[in-house]
Structure formats: structure tokens, C-alpha cells
mmCIF file of all heavy atoms in Angstrom:
data_model
loop_
_atom_site.group_PDB
_atom_site.id
_atom_site.type_symbol
_atom_site.label_atom_id
_atom_site.label_comp_id
_atom_site.label_asym_id
_atom_site.label_seq_id
_atom_site.Cartn_x
_atom_site.Cartn_y
_atom_site.Cartn_z
ATOM 1 N N ILE A 989 2.565 -3.095 -4.469
ATOM 2 C CA ILE A 989 1.163 -3.525 -4.700
ATOM 3 C C ILE A 989 0.561 -2.879 -5.935
ATOM 4 O O ILE A 989 1.059 -1.793 -6.354
ATOM 5 C CB ILE A 989 0.223 -3.214 -3.550
ATOM 6 C CG1 ILE A 989 -0.016 -1.771 -3.293
ATOM 7 C CG2 ILE A 989 0.771 -3.934 -2.195
ATOM 8 C CD1 ILE A 989 -1.089 -1.398 -2.391
ATOM 9 N N ALA A 990 -0.410 -3.484 -6.457
ATOM 10 C CA ALA A 990 -1.112 -2.895 -7.613
ATOM 11 C C ALA A 990 -2.276 -2.140 -7.077
ATOM 12 O O ALA A 990 -3.206 -2.680 -6.431
ATOM 13 C CB ALA A 990 -1.564 -4.018 -8.577
ATOM 14 N N PRO A 991 -2.380 -0.768 -7.365
ATOM 15 C CA PRO A 991 -3.440 0.066 -6.834
ATOM 16 C C PRO A 991 -4.797 -0.202 -7.561
ATOM 17 O O PRO A 991 -4.746 -0.815 -8.734
ATOM 18 C CB PRO A 991 -2.975 1.391 -7.000
ATOM 19 C CG PRO A 991 -2.069 1.389 -8.210
ATOM 20 C CD PRO A 991 -1.446 0.027 -8.136
ATOM 21 N N ALA A 992 -5.812 0.041 -6.953
ATOM 22 C CA ALA A 992 -7.146 -0.137 -7.586
ATOM 23 C C ALA A 992 -7.819 1.333 -7.638
ATOM 24 O O ALA A 992 -8.049 1.961 -6.676
ATOM 25 C CB ALA A 992 -8.059 -1.017 -6.816
ATOM 26 N N ILE A 993 -7.885 1.801 -8.884
ATOM 27 C CA ILE A 993 -8.354 3.109 -9.145
ATOM 28 C C ILE A 993 -9.815 3.072 -9.378
ATOM 29 O O ILE A 993 -10.269 2.561 -10.479
ATOM 30 C CB ILE A 993 -7.629 3.825 -10.329
ATOM 31 C CG1 ILE A 993 -6.032 3.813 -10.038
ATOM 32 C CG2 ILE A 993 -8.185 5.202 -10.406
ATOM 33 C CD1 ILE A 993 -5.657 4.541 -8.768
ATOM 34 N N GLU A 994 -10.578 3.567 -8.473
ATOM 35 C CA GLU A 994 -12.064 3.492 -8.627
ATOM 36 C C GLU A 994 -12.695 4.754 -9.372
ATOM 37 O O GLU A 994 -13.636 4.710 -10.051
ATOM 38 C CB GLU A 994 -12.677 3.438 -7.166
ATOM 39 C CG GLU A 994 -14.209 3.218 -7.166
ATOM 40 C CD GLU A 994 -14.696 3.047 -5.796
ATOM 41 O OE1 GLU A 994 -14.775 4.062 -5.024
ATOM 42 O OE2 GLU A 994 -15.103 1.925 -5.473
ATOM 43 N N ASP A 995 -12.060 5.946 -9.116
ATOM 44 C CA ASP A 995 -12.568 7.160 -9.652
ATOM 45 C C ASP A 995 -11.344 7.973 -10.089
ATOM 46 O O ASP A 995 -10.746 8.735 -9.211
ATOM 47 C CB ASP A 995 -13.412 7.931 -8.594
ATOM 48 C CG ASP A 995 -14.070 9.188 -9.176
ATOM 49 O OD1 ASP A 995 -13.428 9.801 -10.032
ATOM 50 O OD2 ASP A 995 -15.072 9.504 -8.742
ATOM 51 N N ALA A 996 -10.969 7.918 -11.347
ATOM 52 C CA ALA A 996 -9.699 8.447 -11.805
ATOM 53 C C ALA A 996 -9.647 9.959 -11.588
ATOM 54 O O ALA A 996 -8.575 10.437 -11.168
ATOM 55 C CB ALA A 996 -9.523 8.141 -13.333
ATOM 56 N N ASP A 997 -10.717 10.737 -11.854
ATOM 57 C CA ASP A 997 -10.601 12.157 -11.704
ATOM 58 C C ASP A 997 -10.409 12.556 -10.205
ATOM 59 O O ASP A 997 -9.673 13.424 -9.902
ATOM 60 C CB ASP A 997 -11.930 12.796 -12.321
ATOM 61 C CG ASP A 997 -12.001 12.679 -13.745
ATOM 62 O OD1 ASP A 997 -10.957 12.531 -14.437
ATOM 63 O OD2 ASP A 997 -13.141 12.886 -14.191
ATOM 64 N N PHE A 998 -11.197 11.871 -9.362
ATOM 65 C CA PHE A 998 -10.977 12.173 -7.896
ATOM 66 C C PHE A 998 -9.632 11.850 -7.372
ATOM 67 O O PHE A 998 -8.971 12.560 -6.684
ATOM 68 C CB PHE A 998 -12.083 11.429 -7.122
ATOM 69 C CG PHE A 998 -11.860 11.514 -5.614
ATOM 70 C CD1 PHE A 998 -12.009 12.685 -5.005
ATOM 71 C CD2 PHE A 998 -11.515 10.411 -4.913
ATOM 72 C CE1 PHE A 998 -11.832 12.819 -3.611
ATOM 73 C CE2 PHE A 998 -11.309 10.445 -3.576
ATOM 74 C CZ PHE A 998 -11.445 11.685 -2.888
ATOM 75 N N ILE A 999 -9.103 10.699 -7.828
ATOM 76 C CA ILE A 999 -7.715 10.287 -7.439
ATOM 77 C C ILE A 999 -6.686 11.221 -8.018
ATOM 78 O O ILE A 999 -5.761 11.494 -7.265
ATOM 79 C CB ILE A 999 -7.476 8.829 -7.880
ATOM 80 C CG1 ILE A 999 -8.423 7.838 -7.112
ATOM 81 C CG2 ILE A 999 -6.020 8.461 -7.575
ATOM 82 C CD1 ILE A 999 -8.302 7.939 -5.613
ATOM 83 N N ALA A 1000 -6.899 11.783 -9.176
ATOM 84 C CA ALA A 1000 -5.914 12.748 -9.755
ATOM 85 C C ALA A 1000 -5.901 13.961 -8.924
ATOM 86 O O ALA A 1000 -4.905 14.615 -8.623
ATOM 87 C CB ALA A 1000 -6.273 13.054 -11.156
ATOM 88 N N ALA A 1001 -7.079 14.389 -8.502
ATOM 89 C CA ALA A 1001 -7.230 15.590 -7.593
ATOM 90 C C ALA A 1001 -6.506 15.292 -6.256
ATOM 91 O O ALA A 1001 -5.846 16.222 -5.690
ATOM 92 C CB ALA A 1001 -8.689 15.974 -7.384
ATOM 93 N N ALA A 1002 -6.711 14.105 -5.742
ATOM 94 C CA ALA A 1002 -6.059 13.759 -4.500
ATOM 95 C C ALA A 1002 -4.584 13.735 -4.649
ATOM 96 O O ALA A 1002 -3.867 14.223 -3.751
ATOM 97 C CB ALA A 1002 -6.550 12.395 -4.051
ATOM 98 N N ARG A 1003 -4.098 13.252 -5.752
ATOM 99 C CA ARG A 1003 -2.632 13.249 -5.959
ATOM 100 C C ARG A 1003 -2.137 14.666 -5.947
ATOM 101 O O ARG A 1003 -1.028 14.942 -5.397
ATOM 102 C CB ARG A 1003 -2.349 12.497 -7.242
ATOM 103 C CG ARG A 1003 -0.776 12.304 -7.489
ATOM 104 C CD ARG A 1003 -0.527 11.614 -8.727
ATOM 105 N NE ARG A 1003 -0.844 12.330 -9.961
ATOM 106 C CZ ARG A 1003 -1.834 12.012 -10.804
ATOM 107 N NH1 ARG A 1003 -2.657 11.037 -10.447
ATOM 108 N NH2 ARG A 1003 -2.105 12.719 -11.835
ATOM 109 N N ALA A 1004 -2.727 15.556 -6.631
ATOM 110 C CA ALA A 1004 -2.330 16.955 -6.706
ATOM 111 C C ALA A 1004 -2.255 17.678 -5.332
ATOM 112 O O ALA A 1004 -1.521 18.625 -5.140
ATOM 113 C CB ALA A 1004 -3.279 17.765 -7.643
ATOM 114 N N LEU A 1005 -3.044 17.167 -4.389
ATOM 115 C CA LEU A 1005 -3.163 17.806 -3.143
ATOM 116 C C LEU A 1005 -2.289 17.158 -2.013
ATOM 117 O O LEU A 1005 -2.338 17.493 -0.882
ATOM 118 C CB LEU A 1005 -4.581 17.903 -2.607
ATOM 119 C CG LEU A 1005 -5.516 18.832 -3.355
ATOM 120 C CD1 LEU A 1005 -6.954 18.707 -2.893
ATOM 121 C CD2 LEU A 1005 -5.042 20.225 -3.182
ATOM 122 N N LEU A 1006 -1.522 16.085 -2.477
ATOM 123 C CA LEU A 1006 -0.658 15.437 -1.497
ATOM 124 C C LEU A 1006 0.253 16.409 -0.766
ATOM 125 O O LEU A 1006 0.941 17.120 -1.406
ATOM 126 C CB LEU A 1006 0.204 14.467 -2.170
ATOM 127 C CG LEU A 1006 -0.275 12.994 -2.307
ATOM 128 C CD1 LEU A 1006 0.687 12.100 -3.035
ATOM 129 C CD2 LEU A 1006 -0.637 12.345 -0.963
ATOM 130 N N PRO A 1007 0.234 16.319 0.567
ATOM 131 C CA PRO A 1007 1.038 17.275 1.321
ATOM 132 C C PRO A 1007 2.590 16.940 1.135
ATOM 133 O O PRO A 1007 2.907 15.799 0.787
ATOM 134 C CB PRO A 1007 0.672 17.099 2.748
ATOM 135 C CG PRO A 1007 -0.622 16.362 2.676
ATOM 136 C CD PRO A 1007 -0.612 15.597 1.446
ATOM 137 N N ALA A 1008 3.394 17.915 1.376
ATOM 138 C CA ALA A 1008 4.831 17.635 1.353
ATOM 139 C C ALA A 1008 5.239 16.827 2.643
ATOM 140 O O ALA A 1008 4.507 16.923 3.636
ATOM 141 C CB ALA A 1008 5.581 18.948 1.294
ATOM 142 N N GLU A 1009 6.273 16.078 2.525
ATOM 143 C CA GLU A 1009 6.832 15.453 3.714
ATOM 144 C C GLU A 1009 7.591 16.438 4.562
ATOM 145 O O GLU A 1009 7.988 17.494 4.088
ATOM 146 C CB GLU A 1009 7.713 14.285 3.330
ATOM 147 C CG GLU A 1009 6.976 13.078 2.755
ATOM 148 C CD GLU A 1009 7.760 11.920 2.380
ATOM 149 O OE1 GLU A 1009 8.766 12.040 1.815
ATOM 150 O OE2 GLU A 1009 7.324 10.771 2.665
ATOM 151 N N PRO A 1010 7.821 16.171 5.846
ATOM 152 C CA PRO A 1010 7.608 14.916 6.680
ATOM 153 C C PRO A 1010 6.096 14.697 6.912
ATOM 154 O O PRO A 1010 5.367 15.609 7.164
ATOM 155 C CB PRO A 1010 8.414 15.024 7.881
ATOM 156 C CG PRO A 1010 8.446 16.532 8.148
ATOM 157 C CD PRO A 1010 8.505 17.238 6.750
ATOM 158 N N TRP A 1011 5.791 13.408 6.920
ATOM 159 C CA TRP A 1011 4.390 12.938 7.281
ATOM 160 C C TRP A 1011 4.346 12.370 8.674
ATOM 161 O O TRP A 1011 5.272 11.775 9.169
ATOM 162 C CB TRP A 1011 3.886 11.913 6.298
ATOM 163 C CG TRP A 1011 3.468 12.395 4.989
ATOM 164 C CD1 TRP A 1011 3.597 13.809 4.537
ATOM 165 C CD2 TRP A 1011 2.989 11.702 3.868
ATOM 166 N NE1 TRP A 1011 3.153 13.874 3.276
ATOM 167 C CE2 TRP A 1011 2.807 12.683 2.839
ATOM 168 C CE3 TRP A 1011 2.704 10.375 3.636
ATOM 169 C CZ2 TRP A 1011 2.257 12.253 1.569
ATOM 170 C CZ3 TRP A 1011 2.212 9.979 2.473
ATOM 171 C CH2 TRP A 1011 2.029 10.911 1.459
ATOM 172 N N ASN A 1012 3.191 12.618 9.384
ATOM 173 C CA ASN A 1012 2.960 12.012 10.676
ATOM 174 C C ASN A 1012 1.482 11.620 10.781
ATOM 175 O O ASN A 1012 0.717 11.504 9.782
ATOM 176 C CB ASN A 1012 3.396 13.000 11.705
ATOM 177 C CG ASN A 1012 2.693 14.301 11.637
ATOM 178 O OD1 ASN A 1012 1.477 14.396 11.283
ATOM 179 N ND2 ASN A 1012 3.358 15.413 11.960
ATOM 180 N N GLN A 1013 1.059 11.406 12.012
ATOM 181 C CA GLN A 1013 -0.294 10.910 12.237
ATOM 182 C C GLN A 1013 -1.408 11.910 11.928
ATOM 183 O O GLN A 1013 -2.504 11.559 11.745
ATOM 184 C CB GLN A 1013 -0.470 10.491 13.790
ATOM 185 C CG GLN A 1013 0.411 9.336 14.156
ATOM 186 C CD GLN A 1013 -0.157 7.995 13.817
ATOM 187 O OE1 GLN A 1013 -1.378 7.900 13.644
ATOM 188 N NE2 GLN A 1013 0.703 6.969 13.657
ATOM 189 N N THR A 1014 -1.022 13.173 11.704
ATOM 190 C CA THR A 1014 -2.061 14.188 11.326
ATOM 191 C C THR A 1014 -2.072 14.366 9.847
ATOM 192 O O THR A 1014 -2.995 15.123 9.424
ATOM 193 C CB THR A 1014 -1.702 15.574 12.019
ATOM 194 O OG1 THR A 1014 -0.493 16.089 11.521
ATOM 195 C CG2 THR A 1014 -1.573 15.343 13.548
ATOM 196 N N THR A 1015 -1.190 13.856 9.073
ATOM 197 C CA THR A 1015 -1.212 14.150 7.718
ATOM 198 C C THR A 1015 -2.460 13.663 6.943
ATOM 199 O O THR A 1015 -2.995 14.313 6.172
ATOM 200 C CB THR A 1015 0.046 13.309 7.057
ATOM 201 O OG1 THR A 1015 1.195 13.873 7.635
ATOM 202 C CG2 THR A 1015 0.069 13.648 5.515
ATOM 203 N N TRP A 1016 -2.938 12.476 7.357
ATOM 204 C CA TRP A 1016 -4.182 11.924 6.693
ATOM 205 C C TRP A 1016 -5.397 12.987 6.887
ATOM 206 O O TRP A 1016 -6.109 13.249 5.888
ATOM 207 C CB TRP A 1016 -4.531 10.628 7.309
ATOM 208 C CG TRP A 1016 -5.818 10.124 6.933
ATOM 209 C CD1 TRP A 1016 -6.946 10.019 7.716
ATOM 210 C CD2 TRP A 1016 -6.249 9.539 5.664
ATOM 211 N NE1 TRP A 1016 -8.009 9.408 7.084
ATOM 212 C CE2 TRP A 1016 -7.590 9.120 5.739
ATOM 213 C CE3 TRP A 1016 -5.539 9.264 4.489
ATOM 214 C CZ2 TRP A 1016 -8.263 8.561 4.740
ATOM 215 C CZ3 TRP A 1016 -6.242 8.660 3.439
ATOM 216 C CH2 TRP A 1016 -7.581 8.262 3.474
ATOM 217 N N ALA A 1017 -5.542 13.451 8.116
ATOM 218 C CA ALA A 1017 -6.632 14.371 8.313
ATOM 219 C C ALA A 1017 -6.507 15.628 7.531
ATOM 220 O O ALA A 1017 -7.407 16.294 7.002
ATOM 221 C CB ALA A 1017 -6.770 14.664 9.853
ATOM 222 N N GLU A 1018 -5.253 16.144 7.492
ATOM 223 C CA GLU A 1018 -4.976 17.445 6.774
ATOM 224 C C GLU A 1018 -5.218 17.275 5.296
ATOM 225 O O GLU A 1018 -5.903 18.095 4.674
ATOM 226 C CB GLU A 1018 -3.553 17.858 6.966
ATOM 227 C CG GLU A 1018 -3.208 18.258 8.465
ATOM 228 C CD GLU A 1018 -1.703 18.319 8.686
ATOM 229 O OE1 GLU A 1018 -0.906 18.068 7.720
ATOM 230 O OE2 GLU A 1018 -1.284 18.584 9.818
ATOM 231 N N TRP A 1019 -4.822 16.113 4.758
ATOM 232 C CA TRP A 1019 -4.973 15.866 3.383
ATOM 233 C C TRP A 1019 -6.453 15.666 2.971
ATOM 234 O O TRP A 1019 -6.987 16.307 2.033
ATOM 235 C CB TRP A 1019 -4.118 14.625 2.974
ATOM 236 C CG TRP A 1019 -4.290 14.195 1.528
ATOM 237 C CD1 TRP A 1019 -4.245 15.059 0.507
ATOM 238 C CD2 TRP A 1019 -4.184 12.863 1.070
ATOM 239 N NE1 TRP A 1019 -4.314 14.309 -0.675
ATOM 240 C CE2 TRP A 1019 -4.307 12.942 -0.289
ATOM 241 C CE3 TRP A 1019 -4.176 11.666 1.728
ATOM 242 C CZ2 TRP A 1019 -4.276 11.814 -1.161
ATOM 243 C CZ3 TRP A 1019 -4.140 10.551 0.871
ATOM 244 C CH2 TRP A 1019 -4.222 10.571 -0.559
ATOM 245 N N THR A 1020 -7.187 14.838 3.727
ATOM 246 C CA THR A 1020 -8.560 14.558 3.446
ATOM 247 C C THR A 1020 -9.448 15.774 3.676
ATOM 248 O O THR A 1020 -10.527 15.953 2.989
ATOM 249 C CB THR A 1020 -9.089 13.337 4.196
ATOM 250 O OG1 THR A 1020 -8.808 13.549 5.556
ATOM 251 C CG2 THR A 1020 -8.422 12.069 3.688
ATOM 252 N N ASN A 1021 -9.085 16.616 4.589
ATOM 253 C CA ASN A 1021 -9.832 17.905 4.877
ATOM 254 C C ASN A 1021 -9.723 18.798 3.604
ATOM 255 O O ASN A 1021 -10.702 19.447 3.182
ATOM 256 C CB ASN A 1021 -9.388 18.604 6.112
ATOM 257 C CG ASN A 1021 -9.909 17.972 7.367
ATOM 258 O OD1 ASN A 1021 -10.940 17.336 7.319
ATOM 259 N ND2 ASN A 1021 -9.247 18.160 8.448
ATOM 260 N N LEU A 1022 -8.563 18.917 3.093
ATOM 261 C CA LEU A 1022 -8.377 19.658 1.812
ATOM 262 C C LEU A 1022 -9.183 19.082 0.698
ATOM 263 O O LEU A 1022 -9.835 19.851 -0.058
ATOM 264 C CB LEU A 1022 -6.864 19.685 1.330
ATOM 265 C CG LEU A 1022 -5.901 20.618 2.088
ATOM 266 C CD1 LEU A 1022 -4.495 20.293 1.728
ATOM 267 C CD2 LEU A 1022 -6.286 22.080 1.898
ATOM 268 N N LEU A 1023 -9.159 17.732 0.524
ATOM 269 C CA LEU A 1023 -10.032 17.132 -0.516
ATOM 270 C C LEU A 1023 -11.412 17.327 -0.293
ATOM 271 O O LEU A 1023 -12.225 17.587 -1.248
ATOM 272 C CB LEU A 1023 -9.700 15.580 -0.457
ATOM 273 C CG LEU A 1023 -8.546 15.133 -1.387
ATOM 274 C CD1 LEU A 1023 -8.271 13.684 -1.013
ATOM 275 C CD2 LEU A 1023 -8.872 15.295 -2.837
ATOM 276 N N LYS A 1024 -11.853 17.293 0.910
ATOM 277 C CA LYS A 1024 -13.347 17.508 1.209
ATOM 278 C C LYS A 1024 -13.720 18.861 0.808
ATOM 279 O O LYS A 1024 -14.810 19.081 0.261
ATOM 280 C CB LYS A 1024 -13.605 17.293 2.782
ATOM 281 C CG LYS A 1024 -14.994 17.273 3.154
ATOM 282 C CD LYS A 1024 -15.131 17.278 4.723
ATOM 283 C CE LYS A 1024 -14.525 15.985 5.200
ATOM 284 N NZ LYS A 1024 -14.818 15.918 6.699
ATOM 285 N N THR A 1025 -12.945 19.830 1.138
ATOM 286 C CA THR A 1025 -13.293 21.202 0.741
ATOM 287 C C THR A 1025 -13.241 21.451 -0.780
ATOM 288 O O THR A 1025 -14.151 22.096 -1.339
ATOM 289 C CB THR A 1025 -12.096 22.192 1.335
ATOM 290 O OG1 THR A 1025 -12.131 22.029 2.753
ATOM 291 C CG2 THR A 1025 -12.464 23.667 1.008
ATOM 292 N N GLN A 1026 -12.277 20.854 -1.525
ATOM 293 C CA GLN A 1026 -12.178 21.068 -2.917
ATOM 294 C C GLN A 1026 -13.296 20.238 -3.686
ATOM 295 O O GLN A 1026 -13.854 20.727 -4.765
ATOM 296 C CB GLN A 1026 -10.804 20.624 -3.430
ATOM 297 C CG GLN A 1026 -10.626 20.723 -4.982
ATOM 298 C CD GLN A 1026 -9.235 20.798 -5.381
ATOM 299 O OE1 GLN A 1026 -8.396 21.392 -4.784
ATOM 300 N NE2 GLN A 1026 -8.901 20.041 -6.443
ATOM 301 N N THR A 1027 -13.610 19.071 -3.222
ATOM 302 C CA THR A 1027 -14.445 18.118 -4.004
ATOM 303 C C THR A 1027 -15.949 18.026 -3.450
ATOM 304 O O THR A 1027 -16.829 17.481 -3.998
ATOM 305 C CB THR A 1027 -13.889 16.761 -4.038
ATOM 306 O OG1 THR A 1027 -13.892 16.131 -2.766
ATOM 307 C CG2 THR A 1027 -12.529 16.768 -4.696
ATOM 308 N N ASN A 1028 -16.124 18.582 -2.197
ATOM 309 C CA ASN A 1028 -17.401 18.417 -1.541
ATOM 310 C C ASN A 1028 -17.746 17.009 -1.298
ATOM 311 O O ASN A 1028 -18.930 16.657 -1.056
ATOM 312 C CB ASN A 1028 -18.553 19.078 -2.372
ATOM 313 C CG ASN A 1028 -18.415 20.586 -2.390
ATOM 314 O OD1 ASN A 1028 -18.029 21.176 -1.398
ATOM 315 N ND2 ASN A 1028 -18.672 21.160 -3.534
ATOM 316 N N ARG A 1029 -16.807 16.051 -1.290
ATOM 317 C CA ARG A 1029 -17.095 14.673 -0.931
ATOM 318 C C ARG A 1029 -16.929 14.504 0.605
ATOM 319 O O ARG A 1029 -16.140 15.239 1.237
ATOM 320 C CB ARG A 1029 -16.079 13.772 -1.672
ATOM 321 C CG ARG A 1029 -16.253 13.639 -3.162
ATOM 322 C CD ARG A 1029 -15.499 12.480 -3.718
ATOM 323 N NE ARG A 1029 -15.642 12.392 -5.122
ATOM 324 C CZ ARG A 1029 -15.563 11.228 -5.821
ATOM 325 N NH1 ARG A 1029 -15.458 10.079 -5.158
ATOM 326 N NH2 ARG A 1029 -15.711 11.227 -7.067
ATOM 327 N N LYS A 1030 -17.578 13.456 1.061
ATOM 328 C CA LYS A 1030 -17.454 13.062 2.502
ATOM 329 C C LYS A 1030 -17.805 11.605 2.617
ATOM 330 O O LYS A 1030 -18.352 10.985 1.728
ATOM 331 C CB LYS A 1030 -18.382 13.953 3.322
ATOM 332 C CG LYS A 1030 -19.845 13.886 3.025
ATOM 333 C CD LYS A 1030 -20.583 14.822 3.916
ATOM 334 C CE LYS A 1030 -22.105 14.746 3.674
ATOM 335 N NZ LYS A 1030 -22.855 15.678 4.516
ATOM 336 N N GLY A 1031 -17.506 11.112 3.808
ATOM 337 C CA GLY A 1031 -17.831 9.663 4.080
ATOM 338 C C GLY A 1031 -17.173 8.694 3.181
ATOM 339 O O GLY A 1031 -16.061 8.910 2.772
ATOM 340 N N ARG A 1032 -17.867 7.697 2.780
ATOM 341 C CA ARG A 1032 -17.362 6.623 1.968
ATOM 342 C C ARG A 1032 -16.929 7.242 0.604
ATOM 343 O O ARG A 1032 -15.933 6.702 0.029
ATOM 344 C CB ARG A 1032 -18.435 5.503 1.826
ATOM 345 C CG ARG A 1032 -17.911 4.396 0.925
ATOM 346 C CD ARG A 1032 -18.995 3.291 0.808
ATOM 347 N NE ARG A 1032 -18.621 2.229 -0.151
ATOM 348 C CZ ARG A 1032 -17.827 1.183 0.097
ATOM 349 N NH1 ARG A 1032 -17.397 1.028 1.365
ATOM 350 N NH2 ARG A 1032 -17.575 0.287 -0.777
ATOM 351 N N ALA A 1033 -17.564 8.147 0.069
ATOM 352 C CA ALA A 1033 -17.282 8.666 -1.257
ATOM 353 C C ALA A 1033 -15.930 9.258 -1.217
ATOM 354 O O ALA A 1033 -15.126 9.333 -2.238
ATOM 355 C CB ALA A 1033 -18.286 9.618 -1.724
ATOM 356 N N LEU A 1034 -15.489 9.825 -0.137
ATOM 357 C CA LEU A 1034 -14.184 10.477 0.127
ATOM 358 C C LEU A 1034 -13.099 9.443 0.428
ATOM 359 O O LEU A 1034 -12.018 9.452 -0.188
ATOM 360 C CB LEU A 1034 -14.316 11.449 1.160
ATOM 361 C CG LEU A 1034 -12.960 12.180 1.592
ATOM 362 C CD1 LEU A 1034 -12.479 12.986 0.505
ATOM 363 C CD2 LEU A 1034 -13.271 13.019 2.916
ATOM 364 N N TYR A 1035 -13.389 8.600 1.321
ATOM 365 C CA TYR A 1035 -12.319 7.745 1.907
ATOM 366 C C TYR A 1035 -12.126 6.449 1.108
ATOM 367 O O TYR A 1035 -10.949 5.981 1.023
ATOM 368 C CB TYR A 1035 -12.618 7.401 3.388
ATOM 369 C CG TYR A 1035 -12.753 8.655 4.205
ATOM 370 C CD1 TYR A 1035 -13.876 8.942 4.954
ATOM 371 C CD2 TYR A 1035 -11.597 9.426 4.341
ATOM 372 C CE1 TYR A 1035 -14.004 10.071 5.642
ATOM 373 C CE2 TYR A 1035 -11.822 10.636 5.176
ATOM 374 C CZ TYR A 1035 -12.962 10.963 5.832
ATOM 375 O OH TYR A 1035 -13.033 12.083 6.639
ATOM 376 N N HIS A 1036 -13.129 5.853 0.598
ATOM 377 C CA HIS A 1036 -13.016 4.440 0.030
ATOM 378 C C HIS A 1036 -12.165 4.459 -1.177
ATOM 379 O O HIS A 1036 -11.238 3.653 -1.340
ATOM 380 C CB HIS A 1036 -14.394 3.947 -0.266
ATOM 381 C CG HIS A 1036 -14.315 2.419 -0.703
ATOM 382 N ND1 HIS A 1036 -14.543 2.062 -1.974
ATOM 383 C CD2 HIS A 1036 -13.961 1.301 -0.002
ATOM 384 C CE1 HIS A 1036 -14.441 0.742 -2.129
ATOM 385 N NE2 HIS A 1036 -14.128 0.309 -0.847
#
């Protein structure tokens, strides 16, 4: 698929924080919690 990049700087930070595999059902929460701490984003601004 062709991704849609809405906020390039935020997405670059998210890519840098991608956890190592293996991934499971808890990976999303672990990753977004790290992003929340580093960027102070939450809600739609974080997830969308």
C-alpha cells in the first residue's frame, strides 16, 4: 500500500522508536507509550 504521511517529523520519530521483533498484541501499546513520553502527544494527534 501507499502510506499517507501526515506529519513527517512525528512519523520519523515513530520510526526511530519501532520496537524490535518479535511483535505481539502488546507491541502497539509499548510503542505508543514511548512515543507519548517523547513527543507529549496523545489521543488523535498521537494515533491518527
Side-chain angles (χ1 to χ4, degrees):
I989 65 163
I993 305 300
E994 185 178 71
D995 184 327
D997 290 340
F998 172 67
I999 293 301
R1003 184 177 70 252
L1005 292 175
L1006 268 179
E1009 290 184 315
W1011 284 1
N1012 56 36
Q1013 295 279 334
T1014 67
T1015 301
W1016 171 255
E1018 294 166 359
W1019 180 39
T1020 54
N1021 283 335
L1022 283 173
L1023 270 171
K1024 186 186 299 183
T1025 300
Q1026 178 167 315
T1027 65
N1028 291 319
R1029 291 194 182 209
K1030 58 184 180 180
R1032 181 179 172 84
L1034 174 65
Y1035 301 119
H1036 189 250

